[in-house]
Amino acid sequence: MSDATEITIDDLKRIMRESAGEDESIDLDGDILEVPFAELGYDSLALLEAAGRITREYGVSLRDDELDGVETPRAFLDAVNAALVRV
Amino acid sequence: MSTASAVVTGLGVVAPNGMDTEAYWTAVLDGRSAIAPITRFDASRYPVSLAGEVRDFTAKDHIPSRLLPQTDHMTRLSLYAADKALADSQVDLGGLPEFAAGVSSASTMGGFEFGQRELENLWSKGGQFVSAYQSFAWFYAVNTGQVSIRHGLRGPGSALVTDQAGGLDAVGNARRQIRKGATLMVTGGVDGALCPLGLVGQLTSGELSTSTDPARAYLPFSADADGHVPGEGGAYLVLEEAAAARRRGARVYGELAGYAATFDPGTDGTPRTGLERAIRRALDDAQVRPEQIDVVFADAAAVPDLDRAEAEALAAVFGPRAVPVTAPKNTTGRLYAGGASLDLATALLSIRDGVIPRTPNVEACAPDHPIDLVVGEPRTADIGRALVVARGRGGFNAAAVVRRAS
């Protein structure tokens, strides 16, 4: 388990690729911070799977309601990093 | 509901002895079996050690990355076979109304390999380690869902779970949907559960051969029959409303002319009469007489009692040894729902090429089975109509008649 206190967009890209794959028609390596997950090819289950992996890797616990309304990578990172500070 | 004709315009095969329709068909005509020791896991301590594995399938070569974390092996094979069937049909799905095309699939076991891995995660590491995709990846209906999403098939969607009979029931249901107004259905079945959990589940049937000799392990209708061998794979078909197929100039393999399903009572000792009833009703549905059937593709359990029941049902309908009966499924192993769908594809190829594949490895039909089993060499014959028979554990029977398109 990592003892990092913050995850970055690169961490998130890696986790999304590992946990939910990658839509061939979309370039995740571009600036995607504000691009809605739906446009990146990720549905709510993909986010749930990514959240599960973050929980295991970083020892952070995300409540279901903390991901409600999270639609972009930036919002996702904010939610995870807020939870990491809490740990 | 109309009585519109439904014709097959595309075939997608994924079989242990062939990764596409023509490779499989060539293997079947050559009598080439893919039954061999299990390599997917160490099966040396299991009573059954042989299977028909699809060995040449590399998932990432055929399945988008986005789908890999959320699919079991059998779903990947399904997506592959459905892709092949649609490509073979050359249909332009984009040219159809939004809800005109759907999916009707059958599954016997669901995604056991995926399920086993997640159960192992649950019990060895905890619930946090279970994939969110377990919610659907194991499920019987998942192949219909994934094929539907991948190709935008937003019309009727259904999944049938009637073991081997499901491979026909799904196609019968697809015809029903066409008669209710659908233009096109992707239909069929693929099964595959060659993992420890899947094999243990299959062992409970008591119908698997424990032979370790691939040439002796699956001998339907033989005096030496001692059970069947499990396999993985199956076939998807594109079933289309006949007039629509004609309008677009589609190549037609044949028509699904008749279909029927019956159910036998359970294990209360009542004689099993359902198979014969299913065959008679399928013939009636196709409006053909027994003597108009040119070949029968048998369920072929290779369990002596079940072989006898099937042979007697066929003899009751057709007369003793009156129609050629064959079971090339012993080249793939029993594919459950996938097996009956693959038999339908095989029957259509028999019609196309005028040849009846043999049942390899069987030297002769046991003398007490009153059927004309095709052994030794394939038979050349003009085949206008073929009957496919399938039984599922628990009392399911299904029969389908396919005929050359008029």
Side-chain angles (χ1 to χ4, degrees), chain A residues 19-22 24 41-43 45-46 48-49 52 55-56, chain B residues 63-67 69-70 128-133 135-136:
Chain A
S19 55
E22 180 174 10
E24 275 80 355
Y42 295 119
D43 54 20
L45 210 52
L48 193 61
E49 181 69 2
T55 298
R56 304 195 292 263
Chain B
I63 306 298
S65 143
R66 188 65 186 80
L67 293 181
Q70 57 177 279
Q128 290 174 336
F129 288 81
V130 175
S131 166
Y133 295 118
S135 55
F136 59 71

Side-chain angles (χ1 to χ4, degrees), chain A residues 52-84:
Chain A
R53 189 166 296 231
I54 287 168
T55 298
R56 304 195 292 263
E57 247 183 67
Y58 294 90
V60 58
S61 171
L62 286 161
R63 294 190 311 270
D64 287 352
D65 63 342
E66 286 180 286
L67 291 177
D68 284 351
V70 164
E71 289 179 359
T72 63
R74 186 186 296 283
F76 193 90
L77 288 173
D78 287 347
V80 171
N81 286 325
L84 270 170

Side-chain angles (χ1 to χ4, degrees), chain B residues 334-352:
Chain B
R334 196 162 172 90
L335 306 184
Y336 307 95
S341 296
L342 185 57
D343 275 346
L344 270 183
T346 312
L348 290 162
L349 295 166
S350 269
I351 290 171
R352 183 190 72 180

Side-chain angles (χ1 to χ4, degrees), chain B residues 26-41:
Chain B
T26 301
V28 163
L29 290 179
D30 292 347
R32 204 159 65 242
S33 167
I35 289 171
I38 291 172
T39 60
R40 197 70 56 71
F41 64 98

Side-chain angles (χ1 to χ4, degrees), chain B residues 110-364:
Chain B
F112 266 54
E113 195 172 275
F114 196 106
Q116 175 174 350
R117 188 178 67 231
E118 299 310 323
L119 283 171
E120 284 172 356
N121 285 340
L122 176 65
W123 293 115
S124 65
K125 298 177 190 166
Q128 290 174 336
F129 288 81
V130 175
S131 166
Y133 295 118
Q134 168 70 1
S135 55
F136 59 71
W138 71 273
F139 190 49
Y140 306 102
V142 73
N143 297 335
T144 286
Q146 291 285 18
V147 170
S148 162
I149 293 166
R150 181 163 166 80
H151 296 286
L153 303 166
R154 303 189 65 197
S158 55
L160 288 105
V161 183
T162 54
D163 190 16
Q164 176 110 353
L168 300 183
D169 291 333
V171 180
N173 175 58
R175 187 183 64 167
R176 189 176 305 127
Q177 299 306 329
I178 285 171
R179 288 180 170 175
K180 286 164 74 174
T183 302
L184 179 150
M185 295 291 292
V186 175
T187 181
V190 164
D191 265 304
L194 296 177
C195 60
L197 180 63
L199 185 61
V200 167
Q202 293 169 62
L203 283 171
T204 63
S205 72
E207 295 173 359
L208 298 190
S209 169
T210 55
S211 171
T212 56
D213 177 358
R216 304 289 300 163
Y218 187 1
L219 301 173
F221 302 110
S222 161
D224 297 328
D226 76 339
H228 47 256
V229 171
E232 61 181 357
Y236 275 78
L237 294 73
V238 173
L239 195 70
E240 225 172 320
E241 199 266 314
R246 200 178 311 117
R247 273 196 301 278
R248 72 176 183 90
R251 181 253 334 264
V252 171
Y253 287 97
E255 177 192 0
L256 178 66
Y259 159 76
T262 62
F263 191 72
D264 274 318
T267 51
D268 59 357
T270 315
R272 290 174 170 268
T273 59
L275 186 62
E276 183 184 331
R277 279 186 290 126
I279 295 167
R280 290 191 188 280
R281 288 182 189 182
L283 297 181
D284 287 348
D285 185 46
Q287 297 182 305
V288 297
R289 299 183 304 279
E291 61 269 26
Q292 293 175 295
I293 295 292
D294 300 308
V295 61
V296 176
F297 288 81
D299 176 71
V303 174
D305 286 352
L306 293 171
D307 282 358
R308 182 171 304 109
E310 183 173 21
E312 287 173 358
L314 291 171
V317 174
F318 294 96
R321 298 177 184 83
V323 63
V325 175
T326 193
K329 58 166 57 87
N330 77 340
T331 63
T332 64
R334 196 162 172 90
L335 306 184
Y336 307 95
S341 296
L342 185 57
D343 275 346
L344 270 183
T346 312
L348 290 162
L349 295 166
S350 269
I351 290 171
R352 183 190 72 180
D353 291 350
V355 58
I356 301 173
R358 63 187 177 282
T359 308
N361 294 331
V362 177
E363 283 164 22

